[in-house]
Coordinates of all heavy atoms in Angstrom, one line a residue:
W1 N -21.2 116.1 3.9 CA -21.8 114.9 4.6 C -21.1 114.7 6.0 O -21.9 114.4 6.9 CB -21.5 113.7 3.7 CG -22.0 112.4 4.3 CD1 -23.3 111.9 4.1 CD2 -21.3 111.5 5.1 NE1 -23.4 110.7 4.8 CE2 -22.2 110.4 5.4 CE3 -20.0 111.5 5.6 CZ2 -21.8 109.3 6.2 CZ3 -19.6 110.4 6.4 CH2 -20.5 109.3 6.6
V2 N -19.8 114.9 6.1 CA -19.1 114.7 7.4 C -19.7 115.7 8.4 O -20.0 115.4 9.5 CB -17.6 114.9 7.2 CG1 -16.9 115.1 8.5 CG2 -17.0 113.7 6.5
G3 N -19.8 117.0 7.9 CA -20.3 118.0 8.8 C -21.7 117.7 9.3 O -22.0 117.9 10.5
A4 N -22.6 117.2 8.4 CA -23.9 116.9 8.9 C -23.9 115.7 9.8 O -24.6 115.7 10.9 CB -24.8 116.6 7.6
F5 N -23.2 114.7 9.5 CA -23.1 113.4 10.3 C -22.5 113.7 11.7 O -23.1 113.3 12.7 CB -22.2 112.4 9.6 CG -22.2 111.1 10.2 CD1 -23.4 110.3 10.4 CD2 -21.0 110.5 10.7 CE1 -23.4 109.1 11.0 CE2 -21.0 109.3 11.3 CZ -22.2 108.5 11.5
V6 N -21.4 114.5 11.7 CA -20.8 114.9 13.0 C -21.8 115.7 13.8 O -21.9 115.6 15.1 CB -19.5 115.6 12.8 CG1 -19.0 116.3 14.0 CG2 -18.4 114.6 12.3
T7 N -22.5 116.6 13.2 CA -23.5 117.5 13.9 C -24.6 116.6 14.5 O -24.9 116.8 15.7 CB -24.1 118.5 12.9 OG1 -23.1 119.4 12.4 CG2 -25.2 119.3 13.6
F8 N -25.1 115.7 13.8 CA -26.2 114.9 14.4 C -25.7 114.1 15.6 O -26.3 114.1 16.6 CB -26.7 113.9 13.3 CG -27.6 112.8 13.9 CD1 -28.9 113.2 14.3 CD2 -27.2 111.5 14.1 CE1 -29.7 112.3 14.9 CE2 -28.0 110.6 14.7 CZ -29.3 111.0 15.1
L9 N -24.5 113.4 15.4 CA -24.0 112.7 16.6 C -23.7 113.5 17.8 O -24.0 113.2 18.9 CB -22.7 111.9 16.1 CG -22.9 110.8 15.1 CD1 -21.6 110.2 14.7 CD2 -23.9 109.8 15.6
N10 N -23.1 114.7 17.5 CA -22.8 115.6 18.6 C -24.0 116.2 19.3 O -24.0 116.6 20.5 CB -21.9 116.8 18.1 CG -20.4 116.4 18.2 OD1 -19.8 116.3 19.3 ND2 -19.8 116.2 17.0
L11 N -25.1 116.3 18.6 CA -26.4 116.8 19.1 C -27.2 115.8 19.9 O -28.3 116.1 20.3 CB -27.2 117.5 18.1 CG -26.6 118.9 17.7 CD1 -27.4 119.5 16.5 CD2 -26.6 119.9 18.8
L12 N -26.7 114.5 19.9 CA -27.5 113.6 20.8 C -27.4 114.1 22.2 O -26.4 114.5 22.7 CB -26.8 112.2 20.7 CG -26.9 111.5 19.4 CD1 -26.1 110.2 19.4 CD2 -28.4 111.2 19.0
P13 N -28.6 114.2 22.9 CA -28.7 114.9 24.2 C -28.2 114.0 25.3 O -28.9 113.6 26.2 CB -30.1 115.2 24.3 CG -30.8 114.1 23.6 CD -29.9 113.8 22.4
V14 N -26.9 113.7 25.3 CA -26.3 112.7 26.3 C -25.0 113.2 26.8 O -24.2 113.7 26.1 CB -26.1 111.3 25.6 CG1 -25.4 110.4 26.6 CG2 -27.4 110.7 25.1
G15 N -24.8 113.2 28.1 CA -23.5 113.4 28.8 C -22.9 114.7 28.3 O -23.4 115.8 28.4
Q16 N -21.6 114.5 28.0 CA -20.7 115.7 27.6 C -20.8 116.0 26.1 O -20.0 116.9 25.7 CB -19.3 115.4 28.0 CG -19.1 115.2 29.5 CD -19.1 116.5 30.3 OE1 -19.0 117.6 29.7 NE2 -19.3 116.4 31.6
L17 N -21.7 115.3 25.3 CA -21.8 115.7 23.9 C -22.5 117.1 23.9 O -23.1 117.6 24.8 CB -22.7 114.7 23.2 CG -22.1 113.3 23.0 CD1 -23.2 112.4 22.4 CD2 -20.9 113.3 22.3
D18 N -22.3 117.8 22.7 CA -22.9 119.1 22.6 C -24.4 119.1 22.9 O -24.9 120.0 23.5 CB -22.7 119.6 21.1 CG -21.2 119.8 20.8 OD1 -20.4 119.8 21.7 OD2 -20.9 119.8 19.6
G19 N -25.1 118.1 22.4 CA -26.5 118.0 22.7 C -26.8 117.9 24.2 O -27.8 118.4 24.7
G20 N -25.9 117.1 24.9 CA -26.1 117.0 26.3 C -25.9 118.4 27.0 O -26.7 118.7 27.9
H21 N -24.9 119.2 26.6 CA -24.8 120.5 27.1 C -26.0 121.4 26.9 O -26.5 122.1 27.8 CB -23.5 121.2 26.5 CG -22.2 120.6 26.9 ND1 -22.1 119.9 28.1 CD2 -21.0 120.5 26.3 CE1 -20.8 119.5 28.2 NE2 -20.2 119.8 27.1
I22 N -26.5 121.3 25.6 CA -27.6 122.2 25.2 C -28.9 121.8 26.0 O -29.5 122.7 26.6 CB -27.8 122.1 23.7 CG1 -26.7 122.7 22.9 CG2 -29.1 122.8 23.3 CD1 -26.7 122.4 21.5
V23 N -29.2 120.5 26.1 CA -30.4 120.1 26.7 C -30.3 120.3 28.2 O -31.3 120.6 28.9 CB -30.7 118.6 26.3 CG1 -31.9 118.1 27.1 CG2 -31.1 118.6 24.9
R24 N -29.1 120.1 28.8 CA -28.9 120.3 30.2 C -29.2 121.8 30.6 O -29.8 122.1 31.6 CB -27.5 119.9 30.7 CG -27.1 120.3 32.1 CD -28.0 119.5 33.1 NE -27.6 119.9 34.5 CZ -28.0 121.0 35.1 NH1 -28.9 121.8 34.5 NH2 -27.7 121.2 36.4
A25 N -28.6 122.7 29.7 CA -28.8 124.1 29.9 C -30.3 124.5 29.7 O -30.8 125.4 30.4 CB -27.9 124.9 29.0
M26 N -31.0 123.9 28.8 CA -32.4 124.3 28.5 C -33.3 123.7 29.5 O -34.3 124.4 29.9 CB -32.8 123.7 27.1 CG -32.1 124.4 25.9 SD -32.4 123.7 24.3 CE -34.2 124.1 24.2
F27 N -33.2 122.5 29.9 CA -34.2 121.8 30.8 C -33.7 121.4 32.2 O -34.4 120.8 32.9 CB -34.7 120.5 30.0 CG -35.2 120.8 28.7 CD1 -34.6 120.4 27.5 CD2 -36.4 121.5 28.5 CE1 -35.1 120.7 26.3 CE2 -37.0 121.8 27.3 CZ -36.3 121.4 26.2
G28 N -32.5 121.9 32.5 CA -32.0 121.6 33.9 C -31.9 120.1 34.1 O -31.5 119.3 33.2

């Protein structure tokens, strides 16, 4: 549960979060 919860929060496409890095790289 911790792994899933942390993954979701980190994949929010904002700032320096993992999701932010991914979406910045994908969509400029």
Side-chain angles (χ1 to χ4, degrees):
W1 178 90
V2 167
F5 186 62
V6 166
T7 296
F8 170 74
L9 293 179
N10 271 290
L11 284 177
L12 291 173
V14 176
Q16 298 285 342
L17 294 177
D18 297 341
H21 292 331
I22 294 168
V23 173
R24 172 64 180 84
M26 291 175 67
F27 302 110

